[in-house]
Amino acid sequence: MQLTKNDLAKHYFYKTELIQLCRERRLPTYGTKAELNYYLSCYLDGVPSKEIQPLRTNNRKALTKTDINLDTKLIGEGFTFNEHARLFFANYYHVKKFSFKKEMAIIKRRVETQNQTEYTVRDLIKELENSKKIVNTPEEQTYQWNNFVRDFNQDPASKEFTSRLKVAAILWKFVRESEQPKKYSHALLHQYLQQIQDL
């Protein structure tokens, strides 16, 4: 498939599509959507594929709950956001059930990308507690479908539909295939009323 910088900027690609585009160009295929976009962007800027290296490596060794402590390094020791880490954080915060926050994954990927080998679980907790919500990162910008559905559901007019997710998906398909911003707006309900009125 031919691909231009304009295509990459204006078209919404699913992660599987980005992996395929990278594979066809012999680029790294491991990483987040933001990382895959970065590899493709470098390639389209003229950087030879053999010079584009993965921003992070896939570390398959994982620590168990008993291995994790506040001084555990986020990279190089096998720390990953799995059930063992969930149990560690539940114990740390004295809660029955702990849910990972999106910000935690964003911080970990940043630490990996910048090769911050001394960054620990303690540093992660401190950064989460001292910082505001992470926004406007390249990774955050890849959550367009999630943001679209959230904004659709927050529109009081969406409550008129029985199959709200189906309506959101139909509207998203039109937005995704257009050159307009990949965002929900109330005007879409009027623009595509004929396609969604019976749902």
Side-chain angles (χ1 to χ4, degrees):
M1 167 185 179
Q2 283 289 90
L3 184 69
T4 66
K5 287 277 281 198
N6 191 44
D7 295 332
L8 196 59
K10 293 197 172 181
H11 185 74
Y12 180 91
F13 290 98
Y14 292 107
K15 186 171 181 180
T16 53
E17 294 172 314
L18 291 171
I19 289 171
Q20 184 59 34
L21 290 169
C22 286
R23 186 172 287 126
E24 289 168 1
R25 289 155 182 80
R26 295 187 171 90
L27 301 172
T29 57
Y30 170 75
T32 63
K33 286 181 64 179
E35 290 166 336
L36 298 171
N37 272 314
Y38 170 77
Y39 304 142
L40 288 164
S41 182
C42 288
Y43 178 84
L44 294 170
D45 282 339
V47 178
S49 57
K50 62 184 176 187
E51 292 179 18
I52 301 172
Q53 299 300 314
L55 295 172
R56 300 178 298 126
T57 55
N58 187 359
N59 187 346
R60 300 199 184 278
K61 176 192 158 206
L63 299 175
T64 64
K65 177 192 170 218
T66 55
D67 297 325
I68 302 170
N69 60 59
L70 292 174
D71 295 318
T72 300
K73 306 278 195 307
L74 249 59
I75 57 174
E77 294 185 356
F79 177 85
T80 185
F81 292 120
N82 60 13
E83 192 56 33
H84 295 284
R86 190 184 306 280
L87 292 170
F88 169 82
F89 284 110
N91 182 57
Y92 177 83
Y93 286 110
H94 306 290
V95 294
K96 266 187 171 181
K97 185 178 177 186
F98 179 83
S99 298
F100 295 118
K101 297 170 178 50
K102 181 170 53 175
E103 290 83 357
M104 296 174 85
I106 292 172
I107 290 169
K108 185 171 190 295
R109 284 190 276 271
R110 185 202 71 218
V111 167
E112 291 171 336
T113 301
Q114 296 175 358
N115 199 29
Q116 295 176 285
T117 56
E118 297 304 310
Y119 196 100
T120 64
V121 170
R122 183 190 318 274
D123 296 323
L124 171 66
I125 291 169
K126 187 176 177 182
E127 185 171 348
L128 284 170
E129 291 173 353
N130 293 335
S131 68
K132 296 179 180 175
K133 190 173 189 292
I134 297 171
V135 294
N136 295 327
T137 64
E139 184 170 340
E140 184 66 27
Q141 294 164 14
T142 65
Y143 297 124
Q144 294 164 316
W145 159 246
N146 302 34
N147 294 337
F148 187 93
V149 173
R150 180 202 63 211
D151 294 344
F152 170 78
N153 285 329
Q154 288 176 350
D155 183 345
S158 71
K159 292 176 177 50
E160 297 175 19
F161 299 98
T162 308
S163 306
R164 290 169 77 188
L165 191 57
K166 191 171 183 181
V167 172
I170 291 169
L171 295 175
W172 170 251
K173 183 176 185 293
F174 289 115
V175 169
R176 177 183 182 250
E177 293 173 359
S178 74
E179 291 198 0
Q180 67 191 71
K182 309 302 179 234
K183 294 181 177 180
Y184 172 77
S185 72
H186 180 77
L188 292 169
L189 292 176
H190 301 291
Q191 188 175 351
Y192 298 106
L193 181 62
Q194 188 173 353
Q195 290 86 345
I196 61 173
Q197 62 186 353
D198 296 327
L199 297 174

